[in-house]
Amino acid sequence: MNNMDTNFLQTEEPVLISEDAQDESNVSNTQTNGTAITFEPLGPEKVRWFYKSDLKRWTKFDGFDSLNIEYRYRANFGNEEDVSSLNGSFNYFLGLYTVVVRGGLYEVDLSKKKCTSIFWPGEESEIFRGVWFYDGYEPYEYGEEVEREHLNLFRDDTRKVEDTEDNGKSVLRDVTIGDMHVVWYSSAEVYSFKQKTFINTKIMRSVTKKLGTYFQKSAGYKLIRSYKTDANEKDKLNDITHLVFLIHGIGHKIDNKKIIKNTSQFRDCVKWIKHKYFQGTEQRAEFFPVDWRSQCSFDGGLVEQITPLNLKNIRQILNSSAMDIMYYTSPIYGREIQNSLANELNRLHSEFVERHPHHDFKVSIMAHSLGSVISYDIITGWEPFIKRSDSSPRIHLNFELENFFCLGSPLSVFLALRQNEIFKENLNLFPMWLAKKVYNIYHPTDPVAYRFEPLVAKDYCRYKPVGIQAYGIKCDYSEVPLELIGNIDTTFEETNGTEAKAPDVKKENETFSRRISTWLNMSSSNDSKANSSNQFEVNTCPLSRNSTPVENLNHRLDYILRDSIGGSASNYLSMLYTHTSYWSNYDVAYFIYTRLFPELDKTMEDFLKPEEKIPNFDLQLEQGNSSKVKKN
């Protein structure tokens, strides 16, 4: 056995024996003289497989996946006894060493001991076969070696006690595996110690014998054979009912796996939300990372060649992030970016349908920053710097969208800069064929994010965006009344009873107007040629308390998060954080999950235990006062 030495103790006294171990050892010896306890190899259902990405803790595969991996493992690497235990159970295999897992999105390769993503490249994790466990059922690193030694020790009808004292305490076996020491006191008392903490001198053993269980627990871990629950084929994910594509913004050149990491973060948030509030639902949303940057060649490194060496680090950061905006507004590379994103979206959708032809699912997009602009342009057919009369084919997607979620989006600025084209043709900026619902989600201190509603209906610059409530709080957003900017709410609801400062929406909208005006003055040399009745008038928003919008929206577009930082962002790092914090925000996860499945928010209490029931909160606008959060 590799890295493994078996030592039988030949000393007078046993090592670290507790009273519990003594009692069980005595019972075991008695049973050896009478009815012997024997151990058979673990069945497939007793073994549990795990996966781990980066530095995270091991995550267990569900029962269905674990069984299938174990079946394939035994068929390829097991002995005759292992193979005979399979009973012809094979479910989800692709090749000789591969098994499809995690709801059909990943593939385990036993020959490489890796779990890789099927639909998108770059995501890979280690896998591990859990046989023995410790500390809350964490898989033990040398579990398979311990299992072989355990079977050798207890498989026969008789047990050999290698070291016995007059008082009956015994050590059955002492094994060194790698950097660990494993000691058997009985069949149920197996402990693992770091070699540096394993004391085998006669003097220290005499001392620690008096300390008993306390020293034993502090010096090592008790090992447990087999996982706490049997793997069951019914323990598996439901079919996907909503497929969500997550699209990145700028900065992907710096870390081309960033969108995969962000997607994993958001997936973990949604998983926690679902486990906490919606355990009984059969609805399943899956999130696919979409990388459009890696496929673009652009200038072939020309920008890098002309970059001065002064302030090299800062220039490289700008070249790898903000330069994407310049590329997209370029008449040469804008079309290349659109093609890259559209092709990747269509590829992911087509491959998913090919592998899951019987799944009945809807599709939505979550797009961050510049990604929301590119996505919008692809769906609506906007092609920068290409005349409308151009006969070149337009780019479109192979599927329709249920929801279009924009996170930290500058889309309205891009649309405002195109005002001549947009308003001259009297275009509907957010038509139903773009998506059934559009949500502009932003943090109050995100410097890149802008509002949508005043661009569509100018009167809405007088009204606050809809406040996204803390996760776990029921809120019918379709019933939230309009609230004038002058009536700033100071009671944004917080989890755990804490309070957060309400965002200064009035100041934010004034800043919005100034920014738009600046952009328009800089970029609109032909404003006078446009139809003045269709102009986007940003400076005509009187804050009358009693007025109502002339034009009502079909549904609200702007949704603002709670200000978790408090106050306005005061430095570059805090602003950068707010712009990139959406993926790990539980408020965002809850809001989006309940927009994907709106029926869940209305029936949330059906999924909760009685002690977890949450009071229903409705936002009500009181006449003459700011809106208050009230309990029903």
Side-chain angles (χ1 to χ4, degrees):
M1 191 173 296
N2 294 335
N3 300 323
M4 178 171 169
D5 297 322
T6 301
N7 305 312
F8 299 117
L9 302 181
Q10 302 296 328
T11 55
E12 286 185 21
E13 298 176 333
V15 182
L16 306 180
I17 297 293
S18 68
E19 295 301 321
D20 292 339
Q22 175 190 355
D23 294 340
E24 187 163 347
S25 297
N26 289 333
V27 172
S28 299
N29 289 333
T30 302
Q31 290 175 329
T32 301
N33 297 328
T35 304
I37 298 177
T38 60
F39 287 83
E40 298 297 327
L42 294 174
E45 72 283 356
K46 300 293 184 182
V47 175
R48 185 56 64 105
W49 284 82
F50 294 78
Y51 64 93
K52 177 172 67 174
S53 302
D54 300 327
L55 300 177
K56 295 182 180 179
R57 298 180 67 178
W58 289 108
T59 302
K60 68 180 178 70
F61 285 99
D62 59 33
F64 179 81
D65 288 343
S66 187
L67 281 173
N68 281 297
I69 299 171
E70 182 65 13
Y71 293 151
R72 177 56 82 194
Y73 174 84
R74 296 188 180 209
N76 285 286
F77 305 104
N79 52 37
E80 293 183 3
E81 195 171 33
D82 289 331
V83 174
S84 65
S85 67
L86 299 181
N87 297 321
S89 300
F90 298 93
N91 288 288
Y92 222 14
F93 302 152
L94 281 181
L96 182 61
Y97 296 105
T98 56
V99 184
V100 176
V101 294
R102 298 171 66 182
L105 304 185
Y106 296 82
E107 177 182 291
V108 161
D109 189 329
L110 288 169
S111 63
K112 299 178 181 178
K113 296 183 178 179
K114 298 290 184 181
C115 178
T116 57
S117 52
I118 294 176
F119 296 98
W120 55 89
E123 186 175 2
E124 184 178 81
S125 56
E126 301 175 26
I127 62 171
F128 187 80
R129 185 172 183 254
V131 183
W132 283 75
F133 303 86
Y134 72 99
D135 190 26
Y137 284 91
E138 283 289 306
Y140 183 61
E141 180 180 5
Y142 302 109
E144 295 195 31
E145 291 88 340
V146 171
E147 175 67 5
R148 284 195 290 266
E149 199 64 29
H150 191 79
L151 290 176
N152 289 336
L153 185 60
F154 294 104
R155 199 167 189 175
D156 297 333
D157 289 339
T158 59
R159 295 186 204 169
K160 296 180 180 178
V161 177
E162 303 298 342
D163 183 26
T164 305
E165 282 196 279
D166 294 338
N167 59 7
K169 295 179 181 180
S170 61
V171 170
L172 303 181
R173 184 160 296 182
D174 163 31
V175 176
T176 300
I177 311 175
D179 61 344
M180 303 299 291
H181 233 73
V182 182
V183 179
W184 278 262
Y185 302 118
S186 71
S187 61
E189 290 285 329
V190 184
Y191 282 84
S192 173
F193 305 89
K194 288 278 188 182
Q195 285 210 53
K196 61 181 180 181
T197 62
F198 186 77
I199 307 169
N200 58 4
T201 64
K202 183 176 181 179
I203 297 176
M204 288 306 298
R205 283 200 306 275
S206 298
V207 174
T208 58
K209 182 174 66 174
K210 298 178 181 178
L211 297 177
T213 304
Y214 173 77
F215 187 85
Q216 179 171 315
K217 291 183 177 180
S218 64
Y221 292 103
K222 181 177 181 179
L223 300 182
I224 305 169
R225 187 174 185 246
S226 80
Y227 195 59
K228 58 184 176 182
T229 56
D230 289 357
N232 191 314
E233 288 191 354
K234 295 182 179 180
D235 175 26
K236 64 178 181 178
L237 294 174
N238 297 321
D239 289 347
I240 293 173
T241 53
H242 212 124
L243 186 61
V244 186
F245 294 118
L246 272 63
I247 301 171
H248 66 81
I250 66 173
H252 196 65
K253 184 181 178 182
I254 300 175
D255 181 1
N256 61 6
K257 292 186 178 181
K258 186 176 181 181
I259 185 59
I260 294 177
K261 297 174 184 176
N262 290 339
T263 303
S264 180
Q265 281 182 304
F266 192 77
R267 192 183 291 129
D268 288 345
C269 288
V270 170
K271 183 179 179 181
W272 186 88
I273 291 291
K274 184 177 179 180
H275 178 78
K276 176 70 174 177
Y277 300 108
F278 309 108
Q279 283 193 43
T281 180
E282 295 184 357
Q283 302 284 12
R284 177 187 168 198
E286 272 301 343
F287 303 89
F288 281 27
V290 182
D291 171 16
W292 55 262
R293 183 61 170 79
S294 297
Q295 302 302 318
C296 297
S297 57
F298 295 146
D299 51 45
L302 180 59
V303 170
E304 298 294 334
Q305 296 173 16
I306 64 175
T307 301
L309 296 179
N310 310 76
L311 302 175
K312 186 175 180 180
N313 291 338
I314 295 178
R315 293 182 190 274
Q316 286 180 342
I317 292 174
L318 292 175
N319 287 350
S320 301
S321 55
M323 188 62 65
D324 287 345
I325 300 174
M326 301 183 70
Y327 281 134
Y328 187 61
T329 55
S330 162
I332 302 175
Y333 304 119
R335 181 66 178 263
E336 181 182 355
I337 291 175
Q338 287 189 359
N339 282 330
S340 177
L341 177 55
N343 291 339
E344 182 65 3
L345 285 169
N346 287 332
R347 181 192 69 81
L348 289 169
H349 182 266
S350 298
E351 288 189 11
F352 179 81
V353 171
E354 182 180 351
R355 283 177 172 265
H356 304 278
H358 304 298
H359 283 208
D360 182 16
F361 63 96
K362 298 175 181 178
V363 182
S364 293
I365 278 179
M366 282 177 58
H368 180 242
S369 191
L370 181 64
S372 63
V373 181
I374 307 169
S375 303
Y376 175 91
D377 290 347
I378 290 173
I379 301 169
T380 58
W382 174 270
E383 296 171 307
F385 303 101
I386 297 178
K387 294 181 180 180
R388 294 286 181 176
S389 59
D390 196 317
S391 60
S392 58
R394 293 186 177 183
I395 307 168
H396 290 290
L397 300 178
N398 296 339
F399 51 88
E400 295 181 354
L401 287 185
E402 187 75 12
N403 303 285
F404 182 35
F405 299 101
C406 299
L407 308 176
S409 173
L411 175 59
S412 57
V413 169
F414 280 78
L415 296 178
L417 295 179
R418 303 168 187 169
Q419 64 165 338
N420 289 342
E421 289 289 333
I422 293 173
F423 292 101
K424 184 164 56 180
E425 299 186 16
N426 196 24
L427 299 177
N428 183 357
L429 294 179
F430 301 103
M432 286 295 293
W433 48 264
L434 169 67
K436 292 182 180 179
K437 290 288 184 68
V438 176
Y439 299 93
N440 178 35
I441 302 169
Y442 66 99
H443 193 280
T445 58
D446 183 347
V448 180
Y450 291 81
R451 292 191 63 181
F452 286 6
E453 291 172 345
L455 193 63
V456 179
K458 61 184 180 182
D459 284 349
Y460 273 79
C461 67
R462 295 178 293 159
Y463 296 93
K464 292 172 59 176
V466 181
I468 294 179
Q469 295 299 299
Y471 64 88
I473 294 180
K474 293 174 62 176
C475 179
D476 187 351
Y477 290 97
S478 64
E479 299 297 327
V480 175
L482 287 171
E483 185 178 356
L484 288 167
I485 288 176
N487 296 338
I488 297 177
D489 186 9
T490 59
T491 57
F492 243 143
E493 188 69 21
E494 282 278 354
T495 54
N496 301 325
T498 59
E499 294 185 358
K501 294 182 180 180
D504 192 343
V505 185
K506 178 178 179 180
K507 184 176 181 180
E508 176 197 354
N509 280 274
E510 291 173 351
T511 304
F512 169 80
S513 297
R514 288 197 301 271
R515 288 175 178 174
I516 293 292
S517 298
T518 303
W519 279 103
L520 295 181
N521 291 333
M522 292 173 60
S523 62
S524 305
S525 60
N526 296 322
D527 282 351
S528 59
K529 299 180 182 179
N531 188 335
S532 60
S533 63
N534 288 327
Q535 290 282 346
F536 176 40
E537 301 176 22
V538 298
N539 293 319
T540 57
C541 292
L543 297 179
S544 172
R545 241 174 228 282
N546 299 319
S547 61
T548 57
V550 175
E551 181 183 0
N552 283 317
L553 299 172
N554 292 330
H555 71 92
R556 297 298 301 271
L557 301 174
D558 294 332
Y559 295 83
I560 191 169
L561 293 165
R562 297 177 295 145
D563 186 1
S564 57
I565 294 179
S568 60
S570 58
N571 56 60
Y572 175 78
L573 289 179
S574 61
M575 289 188 294
L576 180 63
Y577 171 77
T578 60
H579 185 59
T580 59
S581 63
Y582 300 98
W583 311 112
S584 57
N585 189 306
Y586 284 89
D587 292 349
V588 175
Y590 185 92
F591 179 79
I592 288 182
Y593 187 69
T594 51
R595 296 317 97 194
L596 297 176
F597 309 113
E599 71 279 5
L600 294 183
D601 204 22
K602 298 176 182 178
T603 60
M604 180 174 65
E605 291 193 1
D606 295 341
F607 301 103
L608 297 176
K609 299 175 182 178
E611 64 272 15
E612 295 175 332
K613 298 293 184 181
I614 296 177
N616 185 17
F617 289 84
D618 286 327
L619 291 176
Q620 298 180 351
L621 185 64
E622 293 186 349
Q623 187 174 5
N625 296 312
S626 60
S627 66
K628 304 292 182 181
V629 179
K630 290 189 172 182
K631 291 185 181 180
N632 282 341

